């Protein structure tokens, strides 16, 4: 037809342009979208967007940032803090630390009683929601919502793939990996197997590696993916400040600007501070064990642990004062380099072939037992032994990861601008998981090899020191003393960077999401983390640290569940708005094209109409019986005569 060569009309150009940019919620005014199927209230992209004038930009001054925060509904008081978040969090955490130091026995008893109640009555809840987070992240990544970009539709990722992977690796590394790297698989295979395990020595070792992978693989990173995605969508897609409350705005609306948002941010601060304190407690225990193994100290007591906490907290405070660029950046580069050096050294200097075999076979055992271990709550294992095992290991880990999630979530959200949701979930779930598997396969495998195929001296009289196992393995390798020194420095730097980053996140939450919070308050939070670690150590050591994380994680787990609902609601609203806008644009283009054809080819249209009118009517009601057909034929014959 002649019209096929007709140039695009202005309406077509307009429709094409709108299709390309229809999902930029900050520049376009998409139509209101009501999720009628779910019975919810109207939720439009305009409701979730922030005007360009109110969005914080990189070149804004502190005064401009504060003004924009207030424009978005954040209550900023004197000294640049959000008083309804800062003071409640400070008072409660300080009180816990003071009570822990002043009355350690009472504090330890309260923590132990609360922890026992949680494990006995809510252990199933922790196991269920962690499995749910894994399923949520995977399903969302594969859904059509996975195409939505965390930023403008045309925005490129802020960091390249390799740099982004390296930073995810940095977020996944920490004191816990160094502390438990050798001791955890070895414990499961020797003195502390999971209740209900049966089989040969080799089978138990495979299960030990698989259980370790459960604790350090997809499951914790699914937690981080839930909160990181919700925050990244709020920060990069909607232009909100870096604060946990905004992740729940699609669910609560303007109420996040009031007391509901304050409670959310206070709970996030609790989790982050207790998570950092737990890491510090584990770190000083391992440093002291390394010093004892090297003969630097004769014995380890609470006084030594307190001194180490004071020293490391002082170094972390110096890093805070020096600023982000001069402090945490070069420390992060150093600890990543040292961790990689230690891992490669153990791989090359140890039983290399066995360690690589261990990596491959452990993945197989993990995949074979993934579902059973995910939902194993010990329902069929009776007695104190089963409860104690879950308290010390799986339930503690789930509580620790949930408590630690605000810090890691903020970090991975900030570095993921420009990624699609599918890219975000794939990177967050897979990269740190693979790194963790490799770390435990090499470090844990070295412990298993030494115990079962070497000297066999890591377990003595049925006792295993988890914090000292790393140094015992390193001592058996060439350059063992040097590697032990590297490990001690690595643990110390890990805590310094964790404390510095954690203090920054807490300070941002306590300042309403200000990207450049006051330095004095960062120093305050860094000191408070050290003080809380001292209080928890004196109140019961490792058990109190575990209990603290588990208790603070309980209320925040509810917030994570609400984040799942909030994220799906926001993404569904945007997807529906996108579909409606696309359909409207397509209909406009089609209407303009068809009407243009009719106007330019009226003769052809009339011919088509005539042709269509001569079509055969195949409706069922038009079908007649044989008698009716013969009667009709006789009638037509008479009419012809």
């Amino acid at each position: 037809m002649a019209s096929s060569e007709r140039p695009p009309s202005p309406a077509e150009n307009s429709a094409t342009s709108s299709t390309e940019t229809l999902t930029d919620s900050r520049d376009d005014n998409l139509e209101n979208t009501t999720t009628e199927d779910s019975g919810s209230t109207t939720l439009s992209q305009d409701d979730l967007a922030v005007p360009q004038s109110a969005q914080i930009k990189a070149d804004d001054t502190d005064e401009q940032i504060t003004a924009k925060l207030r424009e978005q509904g954040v209550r900023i008081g004197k000294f640049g803090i959000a008083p309804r978040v800062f003071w409640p969090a400070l008072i409660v955490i300080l009180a816990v630390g003071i009570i822990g130091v002043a009355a350690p026995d009472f504090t330890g008893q309260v923590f132990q009683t609360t922890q026992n109640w949680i494990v006995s009555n809510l252990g199933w809840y922790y196991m269920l929601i962690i499995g749910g987070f894994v399923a949520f992240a995977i399903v969302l990544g594969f859904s059509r919502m996975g195409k939505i970009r965390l930023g403008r539709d045309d925005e490129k990722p802020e960091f390249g793939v390799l740099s982004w992977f390296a930073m995810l690796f940095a977020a996944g590394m920490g004191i816990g990996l160094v502390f438990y790297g050798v001791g955890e698989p070895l414990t499961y295979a020797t003195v502390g197997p999971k209740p209900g395990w049966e089989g040969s020595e080799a089978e138990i070792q495979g299960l030990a590696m698989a259980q370790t992978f459960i604790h350090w693989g997809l499951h914790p990173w699914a937690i981080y993916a839930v909160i990181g995605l919700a925050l990244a969508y709020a920060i990069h897609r909607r232009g909100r400040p870096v604060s946990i409350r905004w992740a729940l705005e699609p669910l609560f609306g303007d109420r996040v600007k009031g007391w509901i948002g304050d409670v959310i941010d206070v709970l996030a601060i609790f989790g982050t501070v207790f998570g950092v304190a737990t890491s510090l407690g584990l770190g000083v225990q391992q440093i002291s064990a390394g010093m004892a193994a090297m003969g630097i100290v004769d014995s380890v007591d609470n006084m030594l642990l307190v001194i180490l906490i004071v020293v490391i907290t002082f170094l972390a405070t110096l890093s805070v004062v020096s600023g982000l660029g001069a402090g945490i950046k070069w420390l992060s580069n150093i600890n990543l380099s040292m961790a990689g050096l230690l891992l490669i050294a153990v791989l090359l200097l140890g039983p290399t072939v066995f360690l690589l075999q261990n990596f491959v076979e452990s993945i197989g055992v993990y995949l074979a037992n993934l579902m059973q271990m995910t939902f194993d709550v010990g329902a069929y294992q009776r007695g104190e032994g089963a409860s104690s095992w879950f308290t010390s290991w799986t339930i503690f880990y789930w509580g620790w990861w949930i408590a630690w999630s605000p810090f890691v979530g903020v970090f991975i959200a900030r570095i993921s601008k420009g990624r699609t949701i599918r890219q975000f979930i794939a990177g967050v779930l897979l990269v740190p998981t693979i790194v963790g598997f490799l770390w435990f396969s090499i470090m844990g495998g070295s412990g298993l090899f030494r115990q079962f195929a070497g000297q066999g001296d890591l377990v003595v009289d049925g006792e295993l020191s988890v914090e000292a196992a790393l140094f015992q393995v390193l001592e058996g390798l060439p350059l063992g003393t040097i590697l032990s020194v590297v490990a001690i420095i690595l643990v110390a730097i890990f805590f310094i960077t964790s404390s510095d980053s954690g203090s920054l996140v807490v300070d941002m939450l306590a300042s309403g999401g200000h990207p450049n919070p006051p330095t004095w308050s960062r120093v305050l939070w860094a000191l408070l983390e050290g003080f809380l670690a001292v209080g928890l150590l004196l109140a019961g050591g490792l058990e109190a640290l575990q209990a603290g994380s588990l208790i603070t994680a309980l209320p925040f787990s509810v917030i994570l569940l609400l984040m799942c609902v909030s994220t799906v609601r926001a993404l569904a609203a945007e997807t529906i708005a996108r579909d409606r806008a696309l359909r409207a644009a397509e209909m406009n283009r089609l209407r303009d094209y068809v009407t243009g054809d009719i106007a330019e080819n009226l003769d052809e249209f009339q011919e088509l109409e005539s042709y269509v009118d001569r079509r055969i009517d195949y409706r069922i009601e038009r079908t007649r019986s044989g008698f009716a057909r013969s009667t009709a034929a006789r009638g037509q014959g008479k009419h012809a005569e």
Side-chain angles (χ1 to χ4, degrees), residues 60-298:
D60 286 343
T61 64
D62 287 348
E63 291 75 14
Q64 290 174 322
I65 292 173
T66 301
K68 290 183 176 181
L69 289 174
R70 286 174 174 158
E71 184 179 349
Q72 295 195 38
V74 178
R75 293 176 173 86
I76 304 293
K78 294 181 179 180
F79 311 113
I81 62 172
R84 301 203 302 186
V85 175
F86 180 89
W87 291 112
L90 177 65
I91 291 171
V92 172
I93 294 173
L94 187 61
V96 172
I98 292 174
I99 295 173
V101 173
D105 294 337
F106 170 76
T107 306
Q109 183 63 38
V110 171
F111 273 46
Q112 191 64 44
T113 301
T114 306
Q115 177 181 257
N116 291 340
W117 183 88
I118 291 175
V119 174
S120 300
N121 296 280
L122 296 176
W124 62 269
Y125 164 76
Y126 277 93
M127 301 296 287
L128 184 63
I129 63 171
I130 299 301
F133 291 150
V134 175
F136 171 82
I138 293 175
V139 170
L140 189 61
F142 279 104
S143 73
R144 57 198 298 258
M145 300 177 189
K147 298 179 180 180
I148 296 176
R149 191 171 297 276
L150 300 173
R152 297 176 182 272
D153 286 342
D154 58 351
E155 197 161 28
K156 301 299 181 183
E158 185 177 0
F159 301 99
V161 174
L162 293 180
S163 298
W164 187 55
F165 283 171
M167 285 184 283
L168 289 176
F169 171 75
M173 290 294 295
I175 292 174
L177 282 178
V178 183
F179 185 89
Y180 289 108
V182 174
E184 183 172 343
L186 189 59
T187 298
Y188 300 155
T190 55
V191 299
K194 188 175 183 178
W197 280 359
E198 295 178 355
S200 65
E201 185 178 271
E203 290 173 332
I204 297 298
Q205 291 179 53
L207 291 173
M209 290 300 306
Q211 188 66 52
T212 305
F213 286 179
I214 288 287
H215 292 160
W216 294 86
L218 288 175
H219 296 69
W221 282 97
I223 301 172
Y224 300 151
V226 167
I227 186 171
L229 175 60
L231 288 173
Y233 186 82
I235 296 168
H236 303 311
R237 189 76 173 171
R238 304 205 314 262
R240 286 302 189 183
V242 181
S243 190
I244 305 298
R245 68 176 69 199
W246 299 113
L248 295 174
E249 185 185 17
L251 191 61
F252 292 115
D254 284 343
R255 285 177 291 177
V256 298
K257 301 176 182 179
W259 68 269
I260 292 179
D262 296 334
V263 171
I264 292 170
D265 284 344
V266 168
L267 290 176
I269 290 176
F270 286 165
T272 302
V273 172
F274 273 89
V276 173
T278 301
S279 296
L280 176 55
L282 297 178
V284 296
Q285 289 188 31
Q286 187 158 50
I287 291 174
S288 62
M291 294 172 65
M294 297 174 62
I296 299 175
V297 297
D298 296 329

Side-chain angles (χ1 to χ4, degrees), residues 459-627:
V459 178
V460 179
D461 299 327
E463 297 290 335
L464 170 67
S465 174
V466 174
E467 59 268 23
L470 170 64
F471 300 100
Q472 291 176 276
V473 168
L474 295 179
E475 286 176 356
L477 300 176
L479 307 176
T481 302
I482 297 176
L483 294 178
S484 296
V485 173
V486 171
I488 292 176
I489 297 174
L490 181 63
V491 172
I493 296 179
F494 268 139
F495 172 71
I496 293 172
T497 54
S498 296
S499 178
D500 195 347
S501 303
S503 300
L504 175 60
V505 170
V506 170
D507 204 9
M508 291 172 64
L509 296 177
S511 303
H514 200 298
N516 302 309
T519 301
W520 67 266
S521 55
R522 283 183 65 187
V523 172
L524 175 64
W525 291 114
L527 295 175
L528 194 60
E529 290 158 1
F531 181 64
L532 182 62
V534 170
L536 293 177
L537 276 176
L538 296 178
L542 180 60
E543 290 76 14
L545 293 168
Q546 293 175 335
S549 290
L550 190 60
I551 293 169
T552 56
L554 183 58
F556 199 77
S557 67
V558 178
I559 294 177
L560 288 175
L561 290 173
L562 293 176
M563 280 186 183
C564 293
V565 178
S566 179
T567 301
V568 169
R569 184 176 182 184
L571 295 178
E574 177 168 342
T575 302
I576 293 173
R578 175 195 293 263
D579 290 345
R580 289 187 175 182
L582 282 172
R583 286 196 299 270
E586 184 66 18
M587 288 300 298
N588 287 336
R589 187 193 68 81
L590 183 61
R591 179 181 57 198
D592 184 74
Y593 184 82
V594 172
T595 55
D597 272 356
I598 292 175
E600 296 176 11
N601 301 277
L602 185 59
D603 293 340
E604 295 181 18
F605 178 75
Q606 292 173 343
E607 180 182 349
L608 175 64
E609 185 178 17
S610 174
Y611 173 79
V612 170
D613 283 345
R614 294 196 298 270
R615 70 189 186 281
I616 300 174
D617 191 348
Y618 279 102
R619 286 179 297 174
I620 292 178
E621 62 265 25
R622 299 290 295 171
T623 303
R624 294 171 295 185
S625 66
F627 177 77

Side-chain angles (χ1 to χ4, degrees), residues 315-335 493 496-501 522:
L315 295 175
T317 305
L318 288 181
S319 177
V320 168
V321 174
S322 68
L324 184 63
I328 188 174
K329 283 188 176 180
W330 66 269
L331 286 177
S332 298
N333 292 333
I334 290 176
N335 71 8
I493 296 179
I496 293 172
T497 54
S498 296
S499 178
D500 195 347
S501 303
R522 283 183 65 187

